[in-house]
Amino acid sequence: METNSWANKTFNETKASSESLLKELRLPTIRRFPKYLRVLWDLSSLGRDFVSSDKIANELNIDPITVRKDLAFTGVIGKPRIGYSIPLLINGIEQLIQSNGQTNILLIGAGNLGRALLGYGGLEKHGYNIVAAFDSDLNKVGTTIHNKQVYNIEQLTEITEKVNIEIGVLCIPEDVAQKTATFLVKAGIKAIWNFTNTELKVPEHVTVLSEDLASSLAVLSVNMKRNSNKKAKEE
Amino acid sequence: METNSWANKTFNETKASSESLLKELRLPTIRRFPKYLRVLWDLSSLGRDFVSSDKIANELNIDPITVRKDLAFTGVIGKPRIGYSIPLLINGIEQLIQSNGQTNILLIGAGNLGRALLGYGGLEKHGYNIVAAFDSDLNKVGTTIHNKQVYNIEQLTEITEKVNIEIGVLCIPEDVAQKTATFLVKAGIKAIWNFTNTELKVPEHVTVLSEDLASSLAVLSVNMKRNSNKKAKEE
DNA sequence: TATTTATCGATATCAAAATATCGATAAATA
DNA sequence: TATTTATCGATATTTTGATATCGATAAATA
């Protein structure tokens, strides 16, 4: 049997193996996928059908070898001198990182950050459905933000009993973060996207992803110091 | 000369060596520092003076060995059976990740995300000074948000000529991101905190830190799939 | 049709990060 | 005072991630 045969895998094989590939996916690769998608969407809208790993790497300022390794997870086979099929890549990446079927989301906390997230189209683009937003501020309750109804936080149980919610997005003050998380877990939620600076304690089976601006700021800060040290030495 | 001698370094030695330690700091370590700070501040406010690596590790759900290695960068020496001095650790970490002196910041784009960031106290806590916000929406111009004046984006040059700005925070639509970044670079900015989904092209000496919600969402998505696969197999 | 060349993908190497091991030590306890 | 124990920090190992090398191949070109 030959080892290096191009373009023999069918689309169905790709799809069938996606579950096992999922296990092998590493964090840095997953983080790069949406960046690839952005480049691919752009090229696609320009009417291009194929793209090389070099081209993608250039756009994103990363190494082409990294790109090829990452793209290998989609199961899409590139052709020498041509590159990869853009539609197949888009499909392949989406298979890996998008939700399967309808996934319902609640957003808790309709402050500025919450509003910003309601305006961010990414959730819908990835196959998620924002069901509603919640807030304790009665001035906000009853309004709609980006077409989403804002409910009183007291009505949370009411809604979670009626609709199957899989993800909760927490944009609330720290002091109520753990309490709310615990409530959501009891309501059967599967994942929490945590925009508070609290380390949430949840059971094993609940996926938590925390955003931490302070961590980012620390990185920015250190990088700046390094850069200025560098410049100081040059002078 | 003995190798394992506790508590002999003075505070001044710690400070003097901070520049060289800066080089050795790795990204994951830098990202964890603010998390350590949060735990340390909490303990400090409870009146505690010492803490063990195990305690910190437990709070943050990470490995105590990782904690000890990270804390070694502060130059603070822990004592067996006692742990580390909390005030010294706080000071040590702050030395590494905070700005030196007064660092001026401009925030470009006073939409929901921009407003959320103006409300986020982290920048001030790290020694940064938000000078002003800018927007193109004339309804916002002239107002103040969290005590920061909102100027017309047209006035950007005016301000950058008057005040030395080191960091620009971009919370603006994608289509004007590169243009604005280029402008800021010309105005002599040192770093950009980029909340748009654009890969900014800037010169070497400018530090860029990009936040990418889509990358985070991809991680959340894949983790959820893995968790549900896991559960499916258990059943 | 033969040669050149861009590009892939497999394998190998190198670097970074996480984790494990273990002796040293100082407080607590017997 | 002797022994036990919690905890540190140095060093070693393993895992993960990035980068380099190179043969295979198919389109482009001579």
Side-chain angles (χ1 to χ4, degrees), chain A residues 32 86 120 197-198 202:
Chain A
R32 283 187 294 263
I86 291 175
Y120 166 69
N197 283 336
T198 311
V202 299

Side-chain angles (χ1 to χ4, degrees), chain A residues 163-174:
Chain A
V163 188
N164 183 37
I165 302 297
E166 311 210 38
I167 305 184
V169 183
L170 293 191
C171 308
I172 52 183
E174 286 190 37

Side-chain angles (χ1 to χ4, degrees), chain B residues 67-103:
Chain B
V67 175
R68 287 205 290 278
K69 276 195 147 183
D70 288 346
L71 296 185
F73 285 102
T74 64
V76 176
I77 308 290
K79 277 190 199 169
R81 280 199 73 108
I82 296 286
Y84 301 86
S85 153
I86 291 174
L88 284 184
L89 275 190
I90 289 175
N91 191 286
I93 295 175
E94 286 181 346
Q95 292 284 334
L96 290 170
I97 69 171
Q98 289 191 178
S99 99
N100 319 319
Q102 181 83 334
T103 307

Side-chain angles (χ1 to χ4, degrees), chain A residues 139-193:
Chain A
N139 291 319
K140 287 174 192 157
V141 171
T143 65
T144 59
I145 303 170
H146 292 280
N147 296 318
K148 303 299 170 187
Q149 186 76 31
V150 181
Y151 293 95
N152 192 319
I153 189 84
E154 311 279 319
Q155 297 173 269
L156 201 48
T157 321
E158 208 177 297
I159 305 279
T160 54
E161 275 171 359
K162 245 185 277 180
V163 188
N164 183 37
I165 302 297
E166 311 210 38
I167 305 184
V169 183
L170 293 191
C171 308
I172 52 183
E174 286 190 37
D175 54 329
V176 289
Q178 182 61 60
K179 193 181 87 185
T180 310
T182 306
F183 175 84
L184 290 172
V185 168
K186 277 195 198 123
I189 213 143
K190 285 185 187 164
I192 292 175
W193 201 3

